[in-house]
Amino acid sequence: MKTTTLSFLLLFLSLHISGGLPRTVSAQPSNQSMLDTLFCSSGPIEATGYDSHVELRWRPVSNADRYAVYRLGTSRDTILRGTTTRTYYLDFIETTDTTYTYRVVALDPSGKALYTTPDVSASVQRFTDDQLQEMVQRYTFRYFWEFADPLTGLAFERSNDSRESCITIGGSGFGVMGLIAGIENGFVTREEVLTRLERIVGSLERLPRFHGVWAHWYDTHTNTAYPFSEHDNGGDLVETAFLIQGLLTAQGYFDRETEQEKTLRARIDTLWHGVEWSFYTQGEKALYWHWSEEHGFAMNHKIQGYDEALIAYILAAASPTYPIDREVYEQCWVNRKAGEFFCATDFYGTMLPLGKRALMGGPLFWVHYSYLGLDPRGLRDLYANYWEQNCRFTRINRAYCIDNPYGWVGYGPDFWGLTACDALPSGYMAHSPGIGHDFGTVAPTAALSSMPYTPQESMDVLRNLYRNLGPISFGIMGFYDALNLGMPDPHKSTYNYLAIDQGPILIMIENHRRGTLWRAFMKNDDVRRGLSRLGFTYNQLPVETLN
């Protein structure tokens, strides 16, 4: 998925949506048939209780067409909760601090019972905010662990992709960081993630690169780039920056003097040093987004602010092998076109230094993607205090949704957040405040990935999405990509996932809770030199003085 200003122009993908309440859950048209049995039980059935739902998993039954999920009532009568073609089911409950009992019946195409599981019980109890955050991380982590491409360990572009094996480079960078969050939460061990990272790095070493830059998408069955558009079939510098951000974070995290960790760090260095950032200037004082062997720089798309791509300039300046100088940053990223970079406008009582004026700043992923590893706390240059910038950017997005000038259903203090995501009823776009960019679709990633900036306001959204809207907002890999409460059932939800939207939820909640990814990335000496080269400071002190 293109996570850029090109989102406004290039990408409108059709969706296939199913679901609703009461639910008959079926597998959506998808390249990932493995979802049907990926989340199953090794035994006959298992149940786990959370705050407002019970997760059921069971063993696949041969020749089963579907499964009927029953909850047992107080008099042992059975209540049909739903049917599904998959080997899991999330049952959202009405009362907390209660124990519920279930059984599942496997059915053939005619509806005849093939097998009935033993009864299984689980208790639900009210969670604290920290427990809710950990639960969301646990579920979201599955996208990058269980659901990763089994050949490479890289992240699939989306869960409902018509392509057989399309992985995303930027989303895989997010996934690498998400694996570290998994260690910190105890979902997996350090050794398990090391083994996975060895596979990921080996895959990245084998994929074709374009002057050291990876393409946006790859087919992992053929090790070839998937074209993003007619002339975009080669290197994508911004997606590569997101990947390198993740790899350098992993390099900083795996800092032990074991042979395995030293070897991993050295292999990451080789990948990092091979990116020819300066080639993508065309000899000008500018960075260009794309280059391909077939079309060269035909896309002719400069990386200009203000948007999500700041990290590309920082890494380009940080490169020990192919660096850019400060003039490239000053003359290209700092876009002097009126209203495109310098905003300096008051929205809802908050003055916003940077952003696109017509969009009241812009979509929220602009304050997420570059800051998954780059720590904005105390970060400054001539143009902004980036912690204040990001907090203000987020508060304005929220205030716009509360103001709700178009009267969309549901918008308010506990349902806000406009960003790039799948649109409803169909398509994909970068939603934001402003004329022509707000159509009633809210993405959970918008508010949840803003947790460090607006912790209480983001928690209001998390609680509402989960406790009140759970059946249409929350699934086996966390919150679905987007909701539009003004749509008729069953089209209020996309019922699918995107790597670039799941990753920031997992990572930014981790940064909010422990600062893990920020610390690991900011340890990198190259990154610190790059920040200094571009004139950044931390708390008005040289970057080199950071502990």
Side-chain angles (χ1 to χ4, degrees), residues 191-217:
E191 292 69 30
E192 287 174 316
V193 171
L194 267 171
T195 299
R196 174 66 64 87
L197 285 176
E198 289 171 337
R199 190 195 315 171
I200 288 171
V201 168
S203 301
L204 294 170
E205 291 167 341
R206 292 188 295 273
L207 290 174
R209 298 163 75 182
F210 305 86
H211 287 275
V213 172
W214 286 273
H216 191 120
W217 291 326

Side-chain angles (χ1 to χ4, degrees), residues 403-449:
D403 182 32
N404 195 8
Y406 295 106
W408 298 117
V409 175
Y411 278 24
D414 58 3
F415 190 73
W416 58 269
L418 304 180
T419 193
C421 65
D422 280 347
L424 288 158
S426 64
Y428 177 93
M429 71 173 293
H431 305 87
S432 73
I435 298 170
H437 297 285
D438 171 23
F439 298 96
T441 295
V442 165
T445 190
L448 302 191
S449 301

